[in-house]
Amino acid sequence: MTLQQLTQILSQGNHTLAIFDQEENLHTYDNRGVADLYHLLTNEPHLLKGAMVADKVVGKGAAALMIVGGIAELHTHIISEPAIKLFELSGIRYSYDVKVDHIENRNKDGWCPVETICKDVPTAGQCVPLIANFIENKKH
């Protein structure tokens, strides 16, 4: 499978995330935000390792989870400038359709909360515990 084909599956299925893993299995996800990536990193990290990924929107938090997870390549429709900076440091191949200054929250009246908590954190690895804390606090 090519990254272009994976991106078509993402769009045609109206998914938020599509992964083609090293075992050549296709996985699609439909949750918003970083929940699916966080779940994969913490529960099924083998699916991310060396995977080809297509994602709808990638902010710094999603980028951090993908980088720590060890993906091989990414295409996204929308990427934030902070996410690009992390990918540049990682050496992971990435491509995108639209670059934005930052990812907006769901109300479109400010920054995405995960983008905000990761804003001033220099490395992908340092973002992950902040994202974990954010997700765990949302459950309560």
Side-chain angles (χ1 to χ4, degrees), residues 43-115:
N43 297 295
E44 300 178 274
H46 63 281
L47 296 182
L48 291 174
K49 190 81 178 152
M52 191 183 330
V53 177
D55 199 330
K56 226 177 202 170
V57 178
V58 175
K60 189 172 181 180
L65 294 168
M66 290 181 205
I67 291 165
V68 171
I71 71 161
E73 188 174 8
L74 164 74
H75 181 78
T76 182
H77 295 308
I78 299 170
I79 194 167
S80 72
E81 190 65 47
I84 287 174
K85 289 179 182 168
L86 272 190
F87 278 118
E88 289 294 323
L89 293 171
S90 75
I92 292 171
R93 290 189 313 261
Y94 68 95
S95 57
Y96 57 88
D97 299 324
V98 178
K99 176 174 68 172
V100 296
D101 183 53
H102 62 272
I103 303 302
E104 292 183 328
N105 64 23
R106 292 182 187 164
N107 294 332
K108 306 278 188 230
D109 61 2
W111 282 51
C112 156
V114 174
E115 188 99 329

